[in-house]
Structure formats: C-alpha cells, structure tokens
Amino acid sequence: MTALLHQRFGELRDTLPHLRLGTGPTPLRPLPELAVGRAQLWLADDGEFGEGGWGGNKIRKLEWLLPDARRRGRRTILTVGGLGTNWGLATALYAREHGLRTALALVDQPIDDHVRAQLARLERSGATLHFTHTKARTIAAVPYLLARHSSGGKPPYLLPAGGSSTVGVLGYVEAALELADQVAAGVVPEPTHIVTAIGSGGTAAGLLLGLELAGLSTRVVGVVVNDQLRLDAKTLLRSARRTAALLRARGARLPELTLSADRLILVEDQLGAGYGHPTAQGARAEALAAEAGLHLEPVYTAKAMAATLALDADGALGDGVVVFLNTNGPR
C-alpha cells in the first residue's frame, strides 16, 4: 500500500522513502462502556499496527526512519529509552529484519514485572545495551557511543527517545491522514478531539501537522507522562513546523499552515511521581478499560485514559466524538 503522504504529495515518492511495516488503517470502534460524560468515546487501536511481532505507535515512526537510515548509508541505529522501552525493542526487532544493528542507551526507571520482562526481551533482541542510568550520564556518553558504533566510516543513525526526530514525526502525519480518510469514508464522524499520551512528543506533533494538512478541525489532547524532556506547547509546535519544513525541502507543495497552539490541549496533572511511576487514577482507568476489552499499561496509556475520563466527566470534551489513541505496543 502506498503511503498516504505519497498519494497526496506525489513529489515525495522519490525524495522521502517509506517502508511498510504495519497494516492500516488502525481499527476504530466506539467505547460506550467508558462513557462518563457527554462525549462519544471511540478507540483508535494502534496496538494492532505492526507486522514484526511488536506493535504500537513506534512502528509508524520506524516506517520512515529505517529507510532514511539506509538512504544515509548508516549501518547502526543508536537511540535511548528507559529500561522498559517499547521504542527500543521495536527498533531492535524491525531494524534487525532490515539489515541494521541497534545500540540502546538505557536510563533507569521504576522496576516492575513489565520492565523485567522487557529487559529480557531487549537482551534477546540482538541490540547492544548500554546502561547509562541517568539523563546526564547518557548525554555525556554520546560521543563515546557514536565512536563505538561507527561503521564503514560513518557514525550511527542517532535518534532521540521515542524516535521523535523530524523524520520520525512523519509517522503520525500519516496516521492523521489515515483518520481523515476514515472520516471521509463514514467509518467515524469527524472527531472534536483525539487524545494521546506524550512521552517524547512525536505522536502529538505529527497529529497536529497531519490533521491540519487533512483539513480536519480535530484538536489534539496531549497527556504528558514524561518529566525528563521538555514537552510544552512551544516545543511540540516547533517539532511540527520542522517536519513541515522537511516536507517542503523534499519537494512537497504544502498549503499555507497555521499550526496554532489553539489546536493543542496539554494535560499535565496525570504524571504522578514521574516517568514510569504508576498512579492511582491510572490504575482505575486501566481496570475500567480492561472491562471494555482494552489493554492499557501504567506508564503511558493508563494515564492518558485517566485524563480522558476526567476531562469527559468535567464536560471539557463536549458532546462530540473523542478518539482515544491507544499507543500500547505489546500484542
């Protein structure tokens, strides 16, 4: 299937490679069991996206990042994440399938059964693991890691946490165009809001750009779950604008864009004690979602669902369709 960005902007076909790794469109279904206010809650389940044994929203970014790494002649991807990183595991698994090595710098996070299981998966993935423990030590280690993993006279393809680089953001530009096609086909009414967890910012930034390109008025509700990165409106909008600039630089004739902060609602009261720390509100939301057949996890999606339910109960989401984006990776 041809990428929707390539269908809309044919000039990108030769300048911005895409590698199909998932099966779209993401399934959509109503979630009436979770209604607590006036909003009509729907689920967009990106946990179903991905064909390499590990699903979730990271795969959308890798569809653009892996071919970009190969285009640049890089042989290794170097990136960072917490000890239980879904992003790092997805990168290692899909990169290995496509002839690339992966090196991961791992930062400490609270240890639970999921993190222990994830570490075991990471060890089996073939990635080279570097336990850098803290953000400061990770930054200090970058020069060594770049030298350590250089190959063929070129440094590794360096990516930030979550793959939220300018190229990685394209994954959720594509997802927003996909949602617009589903609206046009009558699968779902045009949403008033789409809710997502914000761990590194790339998902929200891509949605902001993609929704505007698609002509939808849907607002992005971003639930901040990471206190290790700057994830304010200015940062997310700058990321969206940089990706728009990339598209133009590669030849896309984009319409005039506003990318206004009015399209973004940030929720910052669900973080709890910090990144990776579960919350009581998240645990309640996770249990309610399980009764509706939706599996969430405590680091990202349970907190995002807790915010969705709280906003709906307060009437802040109105009475239209609200799409909850499940970015949970395991399948």
Side-chain angles (χ1 to χ4, degrees):
M1 177 181 174
T2 303
L4 296 177
L5 266 169
H6 288 170
Q7 292 179 30
R8 286 179 177 248
F9 306 102
E11 52 270 29
L12 295 175
R13 293 172 187 261
D14 297 327
T15 62
L16 194 63
H18 177 258
L19 175 66
R20 178 62 65 187
L21 298 175
T23 301
T26 291
L28 286 166
R29 66 177 173 92
L31 283 175
E33 307 95 328
L34 295 180
V36 294
R38 295 181 292 122
Q40 304 168 52
L41 188 61
W42 283 60
L43 170 68
D45 196 355
D46 254 8
E48 297 295 326
F49 193 89
E51 297 177 344
W54 200 255
N57 73 333
K58 314 307 181 188
I59 315 309
R60 288 192 178 273
K61 299 174 184 179
L62 289 168
E63 288 194 330
W64 301 92
L65 291 168
L66 293 182
D68 191 58
R70 293 194 305 189
R71 183 181 71 86
R72 295 171 180 270
R74 308 301 171 87
R75 299 179 182 178
T76 300
I77 293 175
L78 171 61
T79 190
V80 62
L83 293 174
T85 173
N86 284 334
W87 157 245
L89 181 60
T91 301
L93 295 176
Y94 285 88
R96 184 177 64 187
E97 285 188 4
H98 294 278
L100 296 169
R101 296 185 291 270
T102 301
L104 300 175
L106 298 178
V107 177
D108 292 344
Q109 71 177 86
I111 301 292
D112 59 14
D113 289 343
H114 167 75
V115 173
R116 291 187 189 94
Q118 193 75 330
L119 275 170
R121 295 183 190 105
L122 288 168
E123 289 167 354
R124 295 193 299 268
S125 72
T128 302
L129 308 182
H130 299 275
F131 295 91
T132 50
H133 299 293
T134 68
K135 179 180 176 181
R137 290 180 62 177
T138 301
I139 293 170
V142 167
Y144 162 76
L145 294 174
L146 288 171
R148 165 72 174 76
H149 293 285
S150 292
S151 180
K154 292 187 177 183
Y157 188 74
L158 180 62
L159 289 171
S164 293
S165 67
T166 302
V167 173
V169 166
L170 292 169
Y172 273 86
V173 176
E174 182 78 6
L177 298 179
E178 181 183 288
L179 176 61
D181 278 3
Q182 290 171 300
V183 170
V187 175
V188 62
E190 181 175 346
T192 59
H193 302 80
I194 183 168
V195 184
T196 183
I198 297 185
S200 59
T203 298
L207 289 173
L208 285 166
L209 175 55
L211 290 168
E212 186 164 345
L213 287 175
L216 297 182
S217 59
T218 308
R219 301 177 76 188
V220 176
V221 180
V223 183
V224 177
V225 300
N226 190 352
D227 55 354
Q228 301 298 307
L229 299 172
R230 184 175 177 179
L231 296 169
D232 55 15
K234 182 178 179 180
T235 300
L236 298 175
L237 288 165
R238 181 169 62 243
S239 178
R241 290 177 183 128
R242 285 176 175 171
T243 299
L246 170 71
L247 291 173
R248 289 193 172 100
R250 298 291 177 90
R253 292 183 287 275
L254 302 186
E256 194 68 30
L257 299 170
T258 59
L259 291 172
S260 167
D262 293 341
R263 298 287 298 271
L264 175 65
I265 300 170
L266 285 182
V267 179
E268 299 176 307
D269 62 359
Q270 296 292 332
L271 181 62
Y275 176 75
H277 290 268
T279 64
Q281 303 98 304
R284 287 194 295 271
E286 187 174 352
L288 288 171
E291 293 176 5
L294 171 60
H295 176 66
L296 305 179
E297 44 66 47
V299 178
Y300 296 91
T301 50
K303 292 180 179 181
M305 179 59 78
T308 304
L309 299 178
L311 289 169
D312 188 24
D314 289 342
L317 298 177
D319 58 3
V321 169
V322 174
V323 172
F324 177 82
L325 180 62
N326 179 30
T327 55
N328 189 20
R331 304 205 293 174

